[in-house]
Structures are given as structure tokens and as C-alpha cells.
Amino acid sequence: QTAYNIAAPALSIPASFGYDYSQAQSRMEPGSGIKGLAKAFMDEAPFSAAYQRAIGAAAPLAEQSSLWSLSVRIALHIDDRELK
């Protein structure tokens, strides 16, 4: 599970571009060639979408990390008030 949570954000980026490419192929103007495909691909906002998908894929890792941090603080009897 941990390995998946670590790899998921990085793997989501090429998967995101592949998804946006396939969407662009279905939405491009018929007969518009490579320029039409490029325009349709950029209309998908692929870089913004890849960023957002990577952030979403990183959520389980962030949650796992915060739970790990909480369990370490509990195990070491660290009180947040002592840290201030």
C-alpha cells in the first residue's frame, strides 16, 4: 500500500497526458490534421489537469504521513503545546 501511495502521484502524470490525448482525438475537428489535434489537446488544459490529478493521487500519502506523525507523537508522549 505504501509503495503504491508513493508511486501514484508520479504515475498519474503520464496517465493524465494519455487520457487528455485520447479526449483530444475524439474532440478534434475532423480533417484538421496535427494542428487540430494539437489545438484540441491544449484545449484539454493538460498541464493543469495533470497537476490536479497528481495532487489528488498524493492525498492518500499525505493522510498516511499525518497518521504516522500522529502515532509517533502519541508513542513518544509529545504534546503539541510543548512544541510552542
Side-chain angles (χ1 to χ4, degrees):
Q1 187 69 20
T2 300
Y4 174 80
N5 288 345
I6 291 170
L11 295 175
S12 72
I13 295 170
S16 179
F17 287 132
Y19 175 78
D20 288 337
Y21 178 78
S22 68
Q23 289 296 307
Q25 284 181 317
S26 66
R27 295 180 182 169
M28 65 184 274
E29 291 286 329
S32 61
I34 192 73
K35 287 184 180 183
L37 178 59
K39 180 186 179 324
F41 181 72
M42 293 310 293
D43 287 346
E44 294 294 324
F47 301 105
S48 173
Y51 172 76
Q52 293 298 323
R53 290 175 181 136
I55 294 297
L61 181 61
E63 183 177 321
Q64 183 179 3
S65 297
S66 67
L67 290 175
W68 181 82
S69 174
L70 176 62
S71 64
V72 168
R73 288 195 322 237
I74 290 170
L76 296 175
H77 306 289
I78 297 173
D79 190 344
D80 285 335
R81 292 172 286 182
E82 294 173 8
L83 298 175
K84 293 181 181 179

